[in-house]
Amino acid sequence: MAAARPTLDDLFAELRARGLRATTARRAVLAELLVAGDTHLTADELARRIHADHPAVHLSTVYRTLDALAEAGLIAVARFADQPVTYHLAGDVHHHAVCTACGATINLPAEVLAPVQRRLARDHGFVADPRHLTITGTCAACVDGAARPSPSER
Ligand SMILES: [Zn+2]
Ligand SMILES: [Zn+2]
């Protein structure tokens, strides 16, 4: 079963529990990431959204805030191939299937790797902690596109 999404109050409580003050920038970053849900935002995208509501919070502050929150373990950093680094809430453990042809991404729940983790533990005593695994391949649209005859052949 997937864990329930935290509320903003939960996130602020976690911030304080880790000894970080709930500054405007930190609250704004956590609020935006909560709203973003499954969408992964780059620092620039986050800064643009936050700046709209909090004109005093500048890009450099957002970058520093992201570093501090990542270091505190509240947010996770993810990168797809040559794309810019993106951020999401650390409690949201999930994986991705990424199409190498068009870049489409599918979010996969953490549970899909449970059988792999069990097997590693059973056969090797290995405690796997997979974070944000990316499985590359070809999405349905691209498979169809490759299989479909070109217009001249129809
Ligand atoms: Zn992700
Ligand atoms: Zn594709």
Side-chain angles (χ1 to χ4, degrees), residues 1 17 19 29 34 36 42 53 78 85 87 95 116 119 132 135-136 138:
M1 210 168 76
V29 165
L34 190 61
T42 64
D53 290 337
V85 165
Y87 299 87
H95 310 289
V116 176
R119 183 164 182 155
H132 218 260
I135 300 167
T136 51
T138 311

Side-chain angles (χ1 to χ4, degrees), residues 64-128:
R64 272 202 312 279
T65 302
L66 288 168
D67 284 345
L69 292 175
E71 203 169 306
L74 274 159
I75 64 174
V77 183
R79 179 197 282 275
F80 299 116
D82 53 353
Q83 304 294 307
V85 165
T86 64
Y87 299 87
H88 62 268
L89 295 175
D92 175 23
V93 178
H94 62 269
H95 310 289
H96 293 274
V98 177
C99 177
T100 50
C102 73
T105 66
I106 297 165
N107 279 21
L108 300 168
E111 303 91 84
V112 297
L113 286 184
V116 176
Q117 286 172 278
R118 276 198 297 274
R119 183 164 182 155
L120 281 168
R122 190 192 63 207
D123 295 353
H124 304 279
F126 186 87
V127 181

Side-chain angles (χ1 to χ4, degrees), residues 13-36:
E14 215 174 318
L15 198 59
R16 287 190 296 270
R18 292 177 200 224
L20 293 178
R21 281 198 312 120
T23 61
T24 302
R26 286 171 186 162
R27 295 163 71 107
V29 165
L30 291 174
E32 288 298 340
L33 289 178
L34 190 61
V35 170

Side-chain angles (χ1 to χ4, degrees), residues 138-151:
T138 311
C139 77
C142 290
V143 168
D144 282 356
R148 200 176 296 135
S150 66

